[in-house]
Amino acid sequence: MKSRIPIYIGALVVIFVVILSQCIYIVDVKECAVVTFFGKPVRTYLDDPGLKFKWPFPFERITKFDQRLQILEIPPQECHTLEKKNIMTQAFLVWRISDPQIFLQTMNTQEGLETRLSFAMVSELAAELGKTPFASLISDATEVKLSQLTEKVMKNVQTLAQAEYGVEIVNLQVSRINYHEQNRPSVFDRMREERRQIATRHRSEGESEAMKIRAGTDRERANILAEAESTAARIRGEGEAEAARIYAEAITNNPEFYRFYRSLQMYETILTSEDSAVIPGDSDLMRFLWEGSDE
């Protein structure tokens, strides 16, 4: 009997280790988990990694899911615009599990979820494009229009995915829009017409701006010239006043010299002119010449 005691102890240790391994588990930082008790969810671990405990199998089971962001690309799909024109669209969305319990009860697999999400996104995108005029998809406002369109599609898909599958749609974008051969001529014509209108608008704005600049330059030139003429007139007036003062002072100090100087100026004017002049010999103008000849 004593020889069997170590065997019993070893068996108990093995059973304890097995049971303990069934009770302890680790939730990785990139995972979320759901604990079920006979198939009924009792605990959920979301953004709560670490060492966890549960009742051993078959009482409780642990189901883990990848909680990282997942990218789902939709292959090119043919859609119709408001005018029933065919276009090819390609889109993608980014999703992750936000409610592991709902995801476990409804989907349980990533493949099944992505099939549902693909169908939902294609349906919503086709519905929104069916309300969109073809011209708005080839105009300069295409980026704004697509942004508004994808916001609506993302909102609708997010509502469905959150409520039905426990999934959060982080982002949704239309990555490409292509046009069928029969629609491309009208697309190119529309683009050329828009570019022509843009060029005309830019030229008109440029001419208007040039006129403003020229008008401003002309006003500035007129102001500068008026200020310069005013300054020149003031300087000339001050110079003439100073000259008159000097003349008056010179006349006062030596009136005889001043008369002599003025006579020389008159001689210069008369003698250098080609016209003939008759000057009486007894005039004051000839007095300095006669006096000089007597000497």
Side-chain angles (χ1 to χ4, degrees):
M1 186 66 181
K2 291 183 178 180
S3 60
R4 294 184 177 182
I5 292 177
I7 297 176
Y8 294 150
I9 294 175
L12 290 174
V13 170
V14 171
I15 293 173
F16 177 77
V17 171
V18 172
I19 294 175
L20 184 63
S21 66
Q22 292 289 323
C23 295
I24 298 176
Y25 61 95
I26 296 176
V27 179
D28 193 84
V29 68
K30 61 185 179 182
E31 295 175 331
C32 58
V34 180
V35 179
T36 57
F37 184 79
F38 290 110
K40 181 180 180 180
V42 292
R43 291 190 304 279
T44 300
Y45 298 101
L46 182 68
D47 298 325
D48 186 20
L51 184 65
K52 309 296 179 184
F53 299 91
K54 69 178 182 63
W55 290 105
F57 181 82
F59 301 101
E60 288 187 339
R61 293 187 59 185
I62 178 74
T63 305
K64 299 179 182 179
F65 302 107
D66 192 340
Q67 197 192 1
R68 292 176 295 183
L69 294 176
Q70 307 292 329
I71 299 177
L72 173 60
E73 291 191 44
I74 307 300
Q77 302 289 327
E78 183 173 350
C79 300
H80 298 85
T81 63
L82 183 62
E83 303 87 352
K84 305 303 180 183
K85 290 189 175 182
N86 297 337
I87 59 173
M88 298 297 294
T89 60
Q90 190 170 359
F92 70 92
L93 62 79
V94 182
W95 65 273
R96 67 181 173 188
I97 297 175
S98 60
D99 193 327
Q101 182 174 328
I102 297 178
F103 183 79
L104 175 65
Q105 294 173 333
T106 56
M107 290 289 101
N108 199 20
T109 62
Q110 178 174 338
E111 292 76 11
L113 171 70
E114 290 189 343
T115 300
R116 298 286 186 88
L117 289 180
S118 298
F119 179 77
M121 183 165 66
V122 171
S123 299
E124 293 293 337
L125 186 59
E128 290 299 327
L129 286 172
K131 305 174 187 177
T132 304
F134 180 76
S136 66
L137 298 176
I138 59 176
S139 66
D140 286 341
T142 297
E143 184 174 351
V144 177
K145 189 66 177 179
L146 281 179
S147 177
Q148 297 172 351
L149 185 145
T150 53
E151 285 180 5
K152 293 180 180 179
V153 174
M154 179 175 171
K155 182 179 179 181
N156 294 337
V157 175
Q158 168 68 19
T159 302
L160 173 67
Q162 186 71 42
E164 299 292 334
Y165 313 131
V167 170
E168 176 190 4
I169 306 301
V170 179
N171 194 7
L172 187 150
Q173 295 294 331
V174 176
S175 56
R176 185 180 182 186
I177 292 181
N178 201 2
Y179 309 101
H180 283 277
E181 291 291 340
Q182 63 268 24
N183 293 330
R184 289 183 181 177
S186 62
V187 171
F188 296 150
D189 291 341
R190 178 63 181 256
M191 288 182 175
R192 280 192 290 267
E193 178 62 20
E194 285 194 350
R195 297 304 180 272
R196 187 190 65 79
Q197 293 177 1
I198 291 172
T200 302
R201 184 176 71 250
H202 287 337
R203 280 194 292 268
S204 176
E205 292 175 354
E207 291 174 358
S208 176
E209 190 65 23
M211 290 179 63
K212 291 179 182 178
I213 293 174
R214 282 194 293 268
T217 303
D218 291 341
R219 285 195 301 270
E220 185 176 359
R221 175 178 175 272
N223 292 334
I224 292 174
L225 289 177
E227 184 177 355
E229 291 176 357
S230 176
T231 303
R234 178 179 55 80
I235 294 174
R236 279 195 300 270
E238 293 175 353
E240 291 175 356
E242 182 66 16
R245 186 189 63 79
I246 294 173
Y247 284 146
E249 184 177 352
I251 293 172
T252 303
N253 294 336
N254 194 342
E256 188 64 24
F257 176 78
Y258 178 75
R259 284 195 297 272
F260 175 70
Y261 175 71
R262 294 293 294 172
S263 297
L264 292 179
Q265 289 181 329
M266 290 295 297
Y267 296 155
E268 182 179 6
T269 301
I270 294 172
L271 296 177
T272 57
S273 176
E274 295 181 357
D275 298 330
S276 298
V278 178
I279 302 173
D282 58 351
S283 65
D284 291 338
L285 182 61
M286 299 297 296
R287 180 169 60 86
F288 294 105
L289 291 177
W290 292 121
E291 291 177 357
S293 61
D294 293 339
E295 293 177 1

